[in-house]
Amino acid sequence: MPLYYNPNTSKNPKKQDLYNISYDYDYPEDLDLKPGSKVHDDLVEMVMKRAQESRHNMEHRYASWRQIDKTLTAYVRPEDIDDAKNVNVSAPVVVPMSYATLETLLTYMTTTFLQDPIFRYQGIGPEDTIGAILLEKVVDVQSRRAKIGLNLHTHFRDAFSYGFGVVTPVWDRKIGKKTARKDTGFMSSFSDAFKKTGVKRITEEGVIWEGNKLDNIDPYLYLPDTNVPITDVQRGEYVGWIDRDNIMSLLGEERADDAMYNVKYLKHIDGTSALAKIPDDERGKYERSTNTETSPVDVIYMYINIVPKDWDLGDSEYPEKWLFIVAADTVILRAQPLGLNHNMFPVTIASPDSDGYSNSPVSRMETIYGLQETMDWMFSSHVANVKKAINDMLVVDPSLININDLKNPGPGRLLRLRRNAWGRGVEGAVKQLSVTDVTQGHMRDTTYITDIINRVSAASDSLQGMVQTKGERRSATESRDTRTGALSRIEKSARLMSLQSMHDIAYMFASHTQQLMEEETYVDISGRWEKELAEEYGLDATKARVRPSDLAIDYDVVIHDGSSPGGEPPDLWVQLYQIMSQNPQVGAQFDMVRVFKHVARQLGAKNVDDFQLKGNEVQPNIIPDEKALKEVERGNLLPTGGK
């Protein structure tokens, strides 16, 4: 096992540098967490042992991941391109087929999941209905403000590229200055009341933003408990990751958060971590700046399920989830109970190709890597053969021709015969060898390989926006069925990721909002649930005020089924809608407005709700003519006009 961290003080110069340094920190629970103390160093050792064990078990996957990175970026080193300018040298070629496949999968995932609202909730009981609607609205505002769509895109990309994608839901609160209005005036001595004379602008400090956000965790820097499958992160004893930060940023966090400490000690040591070094990093993704003025710091975040009494952190004899932050493999920056109501590790995993047992499953891109490599070789060998053909291969009689003239590579060159060959003619002096193209079938074979890649990945030509031109002409029904079959395979992956990750993110977002939200906010009541909110807040209202107490409800997360708008045959839905609208008995059993909206979304409309009538519109109730006449005779219905 490679030794990334040595707990022995005599062999760890970082610790020796901190013994004679002291800053005035107030540590929680009267613990002695000064670097160099026994409690502090014991905690560092226990965290680092888990981090080292996880890194040792995960690093065997790095070589494969680096190959995937090359195929997805079609990366060729500049020096290889310069060498290839020589007609005798062929540059390595990466055909971006894997990239095209990944883009097709990501397009489906973003279309499926990044619809407003991204996360949906429903109340458990009737009394929870309005609260669940408001919770959904508040979380939607937070999601748009934090731009979590970008984090989810990276989340999905990691899942298909490396076999799993990791994110951590975080509650974020930003303190800053904001402009506000203040009434100006005076206190009246007659009415003993404030008389307003105007309004002025003031700048005051306060909470300018609070809400949920997502942070992506790089799979190369992820430190899971490898004793459990990758998708069962909540069953593990611990989970962690390495974050690349700097002292200035950490000092800012320490100033704003009383639970942070010991950051000042980092100014006296090397802030890098041995665990953060990734060997053979050709793209420079993990290279650190050599400029010491930037003060880089590698920080390990680790959630561990511990018995506080066994760790000398309390009297409890039952497991509790704690957060530990260790900087530079040496200094504890935080050690505190997690304290979240959901009592889960705030980490979610998406792994659409997991077998349910592996701690690092093979990714979708890895399954087609061999085909991708073969295609690259075929393309490169064909290019090399073409270069060989266009580069003259000559047989020369040096006794008849001046060989130095022949070596001149320029166009329009003049070849001179030797004096003893003057007057004999030029036949036999130079002869061109015939070149056979043994790679002429390679380009045809790449088409077959592409077809296999599409079959394996489910990213068919139709999903990539490519028109199938070869073979017999296909009917519209056959093309539709083929596209539907491909969509159903990708829909399976989306459904799995919804169960694995999106559900947990939605649940944690809601729980964080219920527990940690302190400021009132306003939400737009238009769109989904508009009718219910209009009845609650008034038909003319456009905004609803949400207090933290309004969200104290029981809720369920609505799980996405993995389907994408446009994934269903729109022509069939149009026919069904026409049948329902023309048959009163069928139409009376369905909500025609919702059916119409569904048809519109399948046809590509994204903002159907914007065109819906506002206010106290009439909801029609369609009944058969015979029943309507009987109800009129009984006096239960009135003819049009009220007579």
Side-chain angles (χ1 to χ4, degrees):
M1 176 184 295
L3 187 59
Y4 303 107
Y5 163 77
N6 191 334
N8 190 334
T9 302
S10 63
K11 296 181 181 180
N12 192 342
K14 289 185 178 181
K15 288 187 177 180
Q16 293 178 346
D17 294 341
L18 301 178
Y19 282 155
N20 299 322
I21 303 171
S22 181
Y23 289 99
D24 187 18
Y25 281 106
D26 292 327
Y27 298 112
E29 304 298 331
D30 296 326
L31 295 172
D32 185 7
L33 294 177
K34 179 187 179 300
S37 69
K38 183 179 186 306
V39 175
H40 176 277
D41 289 357
D42 286 346
L43 290 179
V44 170
E45 182 175 351
M46 285 186 281
V47 171
M48 292 305 300
K49 282 184 176 179
R50 287 166 173 78
Q52 179 175 329
E53 177 188 25
S54 178
R55 168 63 188 271
H56 174 68
N57 291 333
M58 293 295 294
E59 64 182 358
H60 71 280
R61 301 285 286 120
Y62 294 169
S64 178
W65 292 350
R66 285 193 293 271
Q67 296 300 320
I68 297 301
D69 288 337
K70 290 181 181 179
T71 62
L72 293 179
T73 57
Y75 177 73
V76 178
R77 294 180 302 176
E79 54 266 31
D80 293 334
I81 297 178
D82 292 337
D83 292 341
K85 292 179 180 178
N86 185 340
V87 75
N88 295 315
V89 179
S90 295
V93 178
V94 178
V95 182
M97 187 63 205
S98 293
Y99 175 80
T101 301
L102 179 61
E103 283 295 291
T104 303
L105 297 174
L106 291 179
T107 300
Y108 183 91
M109 296 303 157
T110 54
T111 304
T112 298
F113 291 116
L114 301 189
Q115 305 176 56
D116 293 331
I118 297 177
F119 306 112
R120 299 186 176 188
Y121 306 94
Q122 62 185 11
I124 299 295
E127 68 280 2
D128 302 321
T129 301
I130 297 299
I133 295 173
L134 294 176
L135 178 63
E136 180 180 293
K137 293 285 186 180
V138 171
V139 171
D140 185 49
V141 171
Q142 296 172 358
S143 300
R144 284 187 277 110
R145 182 74 176 269
K147 302 179 182 179
I148 69 165
L150 300 176
N151 302 97
L152 289 176
H153 178 271
T154 302
H155 189 41
F156 303 147
R157 191 182 192 279
D158 289 344
F160 286 115
S161 301
Y162 306 115
F164 64 91
V166 194
V167 291
T168 172
V170 179
W171 183 262
D172 188 28
R173 178 178 285 109
K174 296 186 183 299
I175 307 296
K177 294 182 178 181
K178 55 184 179 181
T179 302
R181 296 187 302 174
K182 182 179 180 180
D183 294 336
T184 59
F186 60 92
M187 292 295 298
S188 173
S189 58
F190 296 101
S191 61
D192 196 24
F194 180 79
K195 295 294 184 180
K196 177 181 176 181
T197 59
V199 177
K200 68 176 183 179
R201 293 188 302 172
I202 61 172
T203 300
E204 56 185 12
E205 187 172 286
V207 178
I208 59 176
W209 161 249
E210 64 170 1
N212 287 287
K213 70 172 185 176
L214 277 181
D215 286 337
N216 293 102
I217 300 174
D218 193 327
Y220 284 96
L221 304 178
Y222 182 48
L223 303 172
D225 183 351
T226 55
N227 294 312
V228 297
I230 193 70
T231 53
D232 287 344
V233 61
Q234 303 302 331
R235 284 177 47 199
E237 179 194 341
Y238 65 90
V239 62
W241 65 92
I242 305 170
D243 185 38
R244 303 220 154 168
D245 215 323
N246 59 79
I247 289 182
M248 296 299 106
S249 174
L250 293 173
L251 283 172
E253 292 184 37
E254 183 181 69
R255 179 182 180 184
D257 190 348
D258 294 336
M260 199 91 161
Y261 39 81
N262 286 342
V263 176
K264 296 177 183 177
Y265 288 100
L266 299 177
K267 295 186 292 185
H268 304 280
I269 61 174
D270 176 13
T272 59
S273 168
L275 293 176
K277 296 178 181 178
I278 308 297
D280 302 327
D281 181 22
E282 295 186 4
R283 292 192 296 157
K285 182 179 179 182
Y286 297 101
E287 291 182 0
R288 302 305 298 264
S289 172
T290 56
N291 182 6
T292 57
E293 298 299 326
T294 59
S295 305
V297 179
D298 294 326
V299 183
I300 295 177
Y301 292 81
M302 185 165 289
Y303 296 95
I304 309 178
N305 209 14
I306 70 170
V307 175
K309 188 174 182 179
D310 296 342
W311 286 51
D312 295 328
L313 293 175
D315 298 326
S316 176
E317 298 180 357
Y318 294 96
E320 296 178 2
K321 289 182 172 64
W322 279 57
L323 168 63
F324 298 92
I325 301 180
V326 177
D329 299 346
T330 307
V331 180
I332 287 279
L333 303 185
R334 187 191 296 257
Q336 66 178 124
L338 183 57
L340 295 175
N341 288 348
H342 55 65
N343 196 31
M344 301 168 63
F345 292 133
V347 172
T348 68
I349 304 291
S351 182
D353 299 300
S354 171
D355 57 8
Y357 304 102
S358 303
N359 55 33
S360 183
V362 175
S363 71
R364 187 75 56 92
M365 294 299 102
E366 285 180 282
T367 60
I368 64 175
Y369 174 73
L371 295 169
Q372 172 71 58
E373 191 176 35
T374 301
M375 180 183 294
D376 295 342
W377 177 83
M378 285 186 167
F379 199 93
S380 298
S381 62
H382 180 66
V383 172
N385 195 87
V386 171
K387 283 193 171 186
K388 180 180 179 182
I390 63 176
N391 186 23
D392 295 337
M393 298 184 63
L394 307 176
V395 177
V396 182
D397 185 350
S399 65
L400 301 178
I401 195 169
N402 190 326
I403 197 67
N404 291 324
D405 292 347
L406 193 64
K407 290 180 179 180
N408 180 18
R413 55 189 173 184
L414 180 66
L415 303 182
R416 295 171 295 174
L417 293 176
R418 293 186 178 278
R419 183 181 297 274
N420 59 0
W422 288 359
R424 300 183 183 181
V426 297
E427 288 78 9
V430 180
K431 182 179 181 181
Q432 170 77 49
L433 290 181
S434 60
V435 179
T436 303
D437 185 3
V438 296
T439 67
Q440 57 184 345
H442 283 193
M443 302 310 294
R444 181 183 66 251
D445 293 340
T446 58
T447 304
Y448 301 143
I449 296 176
T450 300
D451 185 61
I452 297 174
I453 290 176
N454 291 344
R455 288 172 182 266
V456 172
S457 64
S460 63
D461 288 340
S462 60
L463 297 183
Q464 296 182 35
M466 304 294 295
V467 179
Q468 182 62 261
T469 58
K470 65 180 181 179
E472 299 179 358
R473 184 176 181 181
R474 296 183 179 182
S475 64
T477 302
E478 185 179 4
S479 298
R480 183 189 65 201
D481 293 344
T482 301
R483 176 181 171 84
T484 302
L487 283 174
S488 65
R489 292 181 59 191
I490 302 182
E491 185 177 314
K492 185 265 294 184
S493 297
R495 175 75 172 182
L496 290 178
M497 286 198 283
S498 177
L499 293 171
Q500 293 168 343
S501 180
M502 298 297 289
H503 174 275
D504 288 352
I505 295 174
Y507 180 76
M508 293 183 196
F509 270 22
S511 180
H512 293 170
T513 302
Q514 283 187 330
Q515 178 184 356
L516 303 173
M517 178 177 168
E518 297 179 356
E519 304 290 323
E520 293 182 352
T521 187
Y522 284 85
V523 296
D524 187 359
I525 68 173
S526 62
R528 190 169 181 251
W529 304 119
E530 181 175 352
K531 180 181 177 182
E532 289 80 358
L533 291 176
E535 292 176 354
E536 181 75 14
Y537 293 95
L539 297 175
D540 297 331
T542 59
K543 296 284 185 179
R545 184 177 69 171
V546 183
R547 298 177 293 267
S549 58
D550 296 332
L551 306 180
I553 50 97
D554 294 325
Y555 62 90
D556 272 337
V557 176
V558 179
I559 299 176
H560 201 290
D561 61 2
S563 61
S564 175
E568 303 174 17
D571 54 336
L572 296 183
W573 271 105
V574 171
Q575 296 177 20
L576 287 174
Y577 183 79
Q578 292 174 346
I579 294 173
M580 287 187 287
S581 62
Q582 295 172 4
N583 191 323
Q585 292 182 342
V586 175
Q589 303 298 318
F590 293 89
D591 188 335
M592 297 299 292
V593 175
R594 294 183 63 187
V595 173
F596 176 81
K597 289 182 179 181
H598 182 74
V599 174
R601 293 188 182 101
Q602 295 302 316
L603 290 171
K606 297 180 180 179
N607 56 342
V608 185
D609 293 325
D610 293 346
F611 303 98
Q612 189 170 352
L613 292 174
K614 308 297 180 182
N616 193 16
E617 63 269 18
V618 177
Q619 296 294 330
N621 184 17
I622 303 175
I623 60 176
D625 295 341
E626 296 81 1
K627 184 176 180 180
L629 292 174
K630 290 181 181 179
E631 294 296 326
V632 171
E633 293 175 357
R634 296 172 183 172
N636 297 329
L637 294 177
L638 291 177
T640 305
K643 298 180 180 179

